[in-house]
Amino acid sequence: YTVEATAGDLGSPQIHSQVVSWSFTTEDDSAAPYVDSLVPLDNASGVSTSTNITFNVKDYKNNAGVIGGIGVNENSLAIVVSSTSIGSLSLNCNSSVVTCTVGSLNNISVTSNPNTNFAQNEQVTVTINANDLHVPANTMVPDVFSFTTADTVAPIVNSLSPTVNSYGNSSSTNVSFHLVDTGAGVDLSSLQVLVDSILYTPSSGQMTVGGDASNYAISINPSTNFTANQAVVVKIVVRDQAASQNYTSPNPYEYNF
């Protein structure tokens, strides 16, 4: 900055006057950019699988938002979004799924809208890095935050045997099916199955369980054989392990053979 001061006496005409100028330089910009206004918040849970990721990258002294630095280098911004379902996605302000709005050199608003929704009940990690316009650049320590998506989908019953409304099944047939949940997983302890009005659970000797919480294979060997030409009704009740548990729909799940 350069300051110039001019002064003169009160004489008329003025006899004496003087012009004085001097310069000074403000303190150097030694602060790196930082991240503010995260959405979703760090460690948030129950986040929509279709959520956008938004944040601001700022360059202010002491991260206080008052005294501006030289400014954020928009071209240096690097974002990595990673999860099991989408893998690792490297983004910047030129990416088609990213919008960078420069409110000022000291404040860039960033919105990322990935092409693919996240999976149910998965952890998403976001890493953000940027430099400022100082020479040499001040580089921020990568800002890493994460959130967990919601699980709003109930377990699915499939691979029924005998099949729905089938005829001519053996009177000694087993009843088998799969319970599939790609979110938090099936809560096996909640499973109750009525076969011809007889209740079976995982602790029943007639029920065998294979697989894991994402895909359980259930087989029931009824305690007594069916009779000839009998119409058998199977009812299944089960929920998942989500924080807000989801039950099969309809509840109970029902079919005949």
Side-chain angles (χ1 to χ4, degrees):
Y1 289 89
T2 298
V3 181
E4 185 177 282
T6 302
D9 61 24
L10 297 174
S12 181
Q14 189 180 68
I15 299 175
H16 302 288
S17 65
Q18 185 176 15
V19 177
V20 177
S21 64
W22 71 97
S23 300
F24 63 90
T25 302
T26 58
E27 63 184 277
D28 196 14
D29 179 359
S30 59
Y34 61 97
V35 175
D36 193 19
S37 305
L38 292 170
V39 177
L41 295 174
D42 188 19
N43 294 320
S45 60
V47 177
S48 170
T49 57
S50 61
T51 186
N52 288 351
I53 298 167
T54 66
F55 55 89
N56 285 29
V57 181
K58 298 182 177 181
D59 186 36
Y60 290 96
K61 181 180 178 181
N62 297 330
N63 297 3
V66 179
I67 301 174
I70 295 177
V72 179
N73 183 348
E74 181 182 358
N75 294 326
S76 72
L77 179 63
I79 312 161
V80 178
V81 181
S82 59
S83 74
T84 300
S85 66
I86 69 169
S88 182
L89 189 61
S90 296
L91 305 170
N92 56 49
C93 284
N94 295 318
S95 301
S96 60
V97 297
V98 175
T99 300
C100 294
T101 303
V102 181
S104 71
L105 287 176
N106 302 109
N107 189 353
I108 297 178
S109 299
V110 182
T111 299
S112 171
N113 181 13
N115 287 325
T116 304
N117 286 350
F118 301 109
Q120 300 265 331
N121 195 59
E122 74 170 348
Q123 185 179 69
V124 180
T125 301
V126 182
T127 304
I128 305 164
N129 205 349
N131 302 332
D132 64 9
L133 294 168
H134 188 270
V135 180
N138 296 304
T139 301
M140 61 183 281
V141 175
D143 194 305
V144 181
F145 73 100
S146 62
F147 58 89
T148 304
T149 57
D151 182 351
T152 58
V153 178
I156 297 170
V157 181
N158 64 19
S159 302
L160 301 171
S161 179
T163 56
V164 178
N165 295 327
S166 59
Y167 293 89
N169 299 291
S170 170
S171 59
S172 61
T173 185
N174 287 354
V175 175
S176 64
F177 53 88
H178 282 237
L179 299 173
V180 179
D181 189 280
T182 57
V186 175
D187 180 359
L188 188 63
S189 67
S190 71
L191 177 61
Q192 299 182 71
V193 184
L194 280 175
V195 179
D196 193 29
S197 300
I198 298 175
L199 177 64
Y200 300 95
T201 68
S203 61
S204 302
Q206 296 85 6
M207 180 183 290
T208 58
V209 178
D212 57 33
S214 66
N215 188 350
Y216 279 122
I218 308 297
S219 181
I220 298 170
N221 183 6
S223 53
T224 59
N225 288 347
F226 305 113
T227 59
N229 203 38
Q230 179 181 353
V232 180
V233 178
V234 179
K235 297 181 180 181
I236 303 168
V237 175
V238 71
R239 64 182 179 234
D240 64 12
Q241 300 181 57
S244 179
Q245 293 174 322
N246 304 292
Y247 282 82
T248 48
S249 180
N251 183 24
Y253 180 94
E254 181 175 328
Y255 74 101
N256 307 311
F257 63 86

